[in-house]
Amino acid sequence: MGILSYVREEVKVIRERDPAIKSNMEVFLYPSFKVILRYRIAHKLYRKKHFFLARWISQRAARKTGIEIHPGARIGKGLFIDHGSGVIIGETTEIGNNVTLYQGVTLGGTGKEQGKRHPTLRDNVMVSAGAKILGSFTIGENSKIGAGSVVLEEVPPNCTVVGVPGRVVKMGDQRIPRVDMDQVHLPDPISNDIRELQKDNVRMHRQIQEMEKRMRCMREDNIEVLNEEEKE
């Protein structure tokens, strides 16, 4: 892909996913545009085994943008990194087409294992702010990862994952379009569990009150019976 084609694609991607942009010229100011352009150059060098030069380019880009993309990562078309500060993409990461990452996202490994050790993100995945995806597994197509989630195992397609560790809280055949950039209105399993515990607590409290009431009635009945026996 030539530089002009790349610029046209980035303009389209950023205009589609960022409501803050007002003109095409602003694309040249976006950290996402700068770092992905440099990644494409570094990745070509990496594939030709010019490892030092590739890392030099990627590290300079990281210092300028706050986004660290290892030149060995494989990234498809249409990646958009919103704001981007603190984003880390590891060496064996694979990213499909039209993926969106927000600030603070980590696509990392879990140790010093060899070979494939970073996650694979399929097409149209959205990873919200501060989420961590750690390990060599796949996030299925059209899935959403909620803000602050820590994902440690595979996610099927068309799912929503939230929590620490991440749990699938929504699954279905309905495709989640990449134009839906909502990071906020996601299911909250912890709040749901707390509400269920509160309901159980209220139910148990009522049962205890009912038992205490019955026990008082039984004691009063026993006292009356004893009094009657004493009078006789």
Side-chain angles (χ1 to χ4, degrees), residues 4-20:
L4 292 178
S5 298
Y6 172 74
V7 171
R8 281 195 293 268
E9 180 181 307
E10 285 297 297
V11 169
K12 181 181 177 182
V13 167
I14 293 173
R15 276 201 168 278
E16 179 185 72
R17 296 183 228 174
D18 188 359

Side-chain angles (χ1 to χ4, degrees), residues 7-197:
V7 171
R8 281 195 293 268
E9 180 181 307
E10 285 297 297
V11 169
K12 181 181 177 182
V13 167
I14 293 173
R15 276 201 168 278
E16 179 185 72
R17 296 183 228 174
D18 188 359
I21 189 169
K22 301 298 188 294
S23 69
N24 291 346
M25 290 300 293
E26 290 180 54
V27 168
F28 295 98
L29 304 177
Y30 273 66
S32 176
F33 172 82
K34 296 177 182 178
V35 76
I36 295 173
L37 176 61
R38 287 165 175 78
Y39 156 77
R40 301 292 183 194
I41 297 169
H43 183 64
K44 288 181 179 179
L45 292 169
Y46 189 87
R47 292 180 62 185
K48 293 178 180 178
K49 301 188 183 301
H50 300 304
F51 299 126
F52 176 82
L53 187 55
R55 289 298 298 271
W56 182 76
I57 292 172
S58 69
Q59 289 303 307
R60 281 178 59 86
R63 287 195 297 271
K64 289 180 177 294
T65 64
I67 302 168
E68 184 174 343
I69 304 177
H70 194 286
R74 290 192 282 179
I75 299 174
K77 296 180 180 180
L79 173 64
F80 177 52
I81 305 174
D82 194 12
H83 296 290
S85 180
V87 169
I88 298 174
I89 300 175
E91 178 186 14
T92 60
T93 301
E94 297 179 31
I95 298 178
N97 297 325
N98 304 313
V99 169
T100 302
L101 309 178
Y102 285 86
Q103 65 271 20
V105 166
T106 298
L107 306 179
T110 56
K112 294 183 178 180
E113 66 272 21
Q114 298 296 314
K116 183 76 166 74
R117 59 189 186 278
H118 298 95
T120 296
L121 277 58
R122 299 298 187 194
D123 296 349
N124 304 313
V125 169
M126 188 191 83
V127 186
S128 301
K132 314 299 177 188
I133 304 176
L134 307 175
S136 177
F137 52 84
T138 299
I139 308 296
E141 296 88 349
N142 310 312
S143 290
K144 281 185 177 182
I145 310 300
S149 299
V150 178
V151 184
L152 302 174
E153 58 185 22
E154 188 155 332
V155 176
N158 305 303
C159 288
T160 298
V161 175
V162 299
V164 180
R167 292 189 289 173
V168 175
V169 295
K170 182 179 179 182
M171 181 185 298
D173 295 330
Q174 185 176 2
R175 181 181 179 278
I176 301 172
R178 67 177 184 271
V179 294
D180 178 9
M181 309 307 293
D182 185 4
Q183 302 183 74
V184 178
H185 299 99
L186 301 177
D188 188 345
I190 296 176
S191 294
N192 293 339
D193 290 345
I194 290 173
R195 281 194 292 270
E196 289 300 320
L197 287 171

